[in-house]
Amino acid sequence: MKKYLVSLVILSLVFGFASISFAQSYNEAPMLAELVEQGKLPPVEERLPSEPFVVGPGVLVSEEECDFEVGQYGGTFRVPYRSVNFDPTVYPMNRTPFIRAQGISIEGMKGYILESFEADEENKVFTLKLREGLKWSDGYPVTTEDIRFTYEDVLLNEELSPIFPTLFRAQNDPEGMPMKVEIIDQYTFRIMFDKPYGQFLSHLTITGWASYQDLLKPAHYLKQFHIDYTPLEEMRPALDKENLGDAWWDLFHLKDFTFWELSQKESAGFPTLTPWIMKPSEEVGVYVLERNPYFFVVDAEGNQLPYVDRIIGTHALTAETRTMACITGQANIGDDTNLANLPLYKENEAKGGY
């Protein structure tokens, strides 16, 4: 029996997989095509980078572990969650690192957000290039200005980052020298360490469910909460609303959402690079994520991913409630299933559609 990790199963369910041949034209979900016709969105060709990431056999999962086919657009992925906040079940689906590999390994590493990457012979200097034409979920271009801002104005700012992250210190050593960043052009930048750091690319790929936010933040959005770009008087309404006094750095952190915080309702409107983005929802205990119209990934037939229109998380406090959601077809994933309930699941599989 082939073994599948839960995260890989989730990815295959939601993204689907396809042939690796590159498509010359692009297709989009019907819900986005309607917005294009209404003049509310640019055409899909203008929303994708010049070279999108193409999903195919052996890209996200080894060919031996998964059969590939092109998916169909539409539908809602329903997730009953048990904790106080939205369950992290959606994290593997929304994980967006700089580099992707097969499963949770570093086999077959390919640039994801990055178009290309290379290291020098000593593994001290890493040259990285963003995908040209990549866009944030609000349509704003992603460039090395976002890298520069994150490095110079966030990581090197003692009020925002009193402790420089270990990940960006030589050899991942808490006592190691911090990296230096050189901006080469609009899309290319260089990261330099004073000692060899052979694991650095793997850290950008998978370590700690790696995502991009520690090194790439939406500068155009966050500058309005940074003292070097926005006077305190202009931030005053937002500061007073949160009772923060003059602590602009606390306001910045409230407005800057990391990978693990994108499942919070407050993240609605925050620019991301994830497949789905949080939408405002007033309903208590219900979280709605909808497809990112600027997501940079396609299948080999040119279909912009993801296939699924939205993810809805609904609070289901008890195990019995979550079980009922599964057997009645109101859940697409059950992370709290009990083997003792197997006869119950089998009895209802036709009705539940699983």
Side-chain angles (χ1 to χ4, degrees):
M1 178 181 292
K2 296 177 181 178
K3 296 180 180 179
Y4 295 88
L5 294 170
V6 171
S7 60
L8 303 186
V9 173
I10 292 172
L11 284 167
S12 64
L13 284 170
V14 180
F15 286 117
F17 300 94
S19 168
I20 197 64
S21 58
F22 189 78
Q24 298 300 316
S25 60
Y26 303 109
N27 308 305
E28 60 192 337
M31 65 178 290
L32 297 182
E34 292 178 9
L35 295 176
V36 173
E37 290 180 5
Q38 297 169 9
K40 297 179 180 179
L41 267 183
V44 62
E45 290 79 9
E46 296 179 16
R47 305 197 308 268
L48 289 168
S50 57
E51 293 188 18
F53 183 86
V54 183
V55 175
V59 176
L60 300 183
V61 184
S62 69
E63 294 188 56
E64 294 76 20
E65 292 181 327
C66 189
D67 295 326
F68 298 87
E69 63 180 61
V70 172
Q72 297 180 351
Y73 282 124
T76 297
F77 197 79
R78 300 182 183 277
V79 182
Y81 66 95
R82 66 180 112 170
S83 57
V84 176
N85 297 314
F86 193 19
D87 195 284
T89 301
V90 299
Y91 292 157
M93 292 188 260
N94 246 0
R95 192 174 77 87
T96 310
F98 281 98
I99 303 168
R100 287 303 297 258
Q102 297 174 1
I104 58 172
S105 71
I106 57 172
E107 294 296 324
M109 293 169 61
K110 299 177 182 293
Y112 196 53
I113 288 175
L114 297 176
E115 180 178 303
S116 63
F117 56 91
E118 62 181 36
D120 69 349
E121 292 183 357
E122 295 184 285
N123 284 313
K124 293 168 64 175
V125 178
F126 299 86
T127 303
L128 314 172
K129 183 179 180 182
L130 299 167
R131 292 185 181 275
E132 296 188 24
L134 183 68
K135 295 179 176 61
W136 295 102
S137 55
D138 60 2
Y140 202 90
V142 178
T143 69
T144 48
E145 171 58 16
D146 299 305
I147 296 290
R148 186 211 61 78
F149 171 79
T150 305
Y151 172 64
E152 293 183 1
D153 298 321
V154 180
L155 294 179
L156 296 184
N157 185 293
E158 292 185 357
E159 290 175 305
L160 291 175
S161 303
I163 300 176
F164 197 86
T166 300
L167 172 64
F168 300 129
R169 291 178 179 271
Q171 300 181 340
N172 201 28
D173 181 351
E175 302 300 323
M177 286 291 294
M179 67 179 180
K180 293 184 178 180
V181 175
E182 176 188 359
I183 303 301
I184 298 175
D185 57 36
Q186 190 176 9
Y187 298 105
T188 311
F189 62 104
R190 188 170 288 139
I191 293 178
M192 298 163 286
F193 298 97
D194 68 335
K195 295 180 180 179
Y197 191 174
Q199 292 183 319
F200 183 62
L201 292 178
S202 69
H203 287 315
L204 296 184
T205 305
I206 187 60
T207 306
W209 286 108
S211 202
Y212 64 86
Q213 284 93 339
D214 292 336
L215 186 57
L216 179 67
K217 298 180 183 294
H220 70 286
Y221 178 85
L222 289 172
K223 284 179 179 179
Q224 61 184 315
F225 309 112
H226 196 295
I227 196 66
D228 289 351
Y229 301 91
T230 303
L232 203 61
E233 310 84 72
E234 293 184 25
M235 287 189 268
R236 179 58 56 197
L239 287 165
D240 290 347
K241 181 180 179 181
E242 303 294 342
N243 296 314
L244 294 177
D246 291 342
W248 66 269
W249 52 92
D250 287 334
L251 178 64
F252 184 97
H253 286 308
L254 279 177
K255 301 298 184 179
D256 177 27
F257 292 87
T258 66
F259 170 55
W260 300 102
E261 297 169 332
L262 290 177
S263 62
Q264 299 176 8
K265 287 191 176 184
E266 293 78 10
S267 71
F270 181 74
T272 81
L273 300 175
T274 56
W276 293 272
I277 53 179
M278 186 66 68
K279 305 298 290 186
S281 173
E282 300 298 328
E283 192 172 355
V284 177
V286 176
Y287 293 74
V288 179
L289 294 92
E290 286 190 355
R291 63 170 63 256
N292 174 2
Y294 293 91
F295 190 51
F296 57 94
V297 180
V298 301
D299 66 26
E301 291 189 2
N303 299 306
Q304 184 190 30
L305 299 182
Y307 295 125
V308 172
D309 289 331
R310 61 186 57 82
I311 299 172
I312 296 182
T314 305
H315 195 199
L317 184 61
T318 66
E320 291 77 12
T321 304
R322 294 189 291 276
T323 297
M324 285 301 298
C326 289
I327 66 177
T328 58
Q330 297 302 306
N332 295 108
I333 185 169
D335 66 344
D336 191 32
T337 52
N338 188 332
L339 192 59
N341 289 333
L342 184 58
L344 180 64
Y345 300 141
K346 290 296 293 181
E347 179 182 348
N348 290 274
E349 65 182 344
K351 181 176 65 176
Y354 52 83

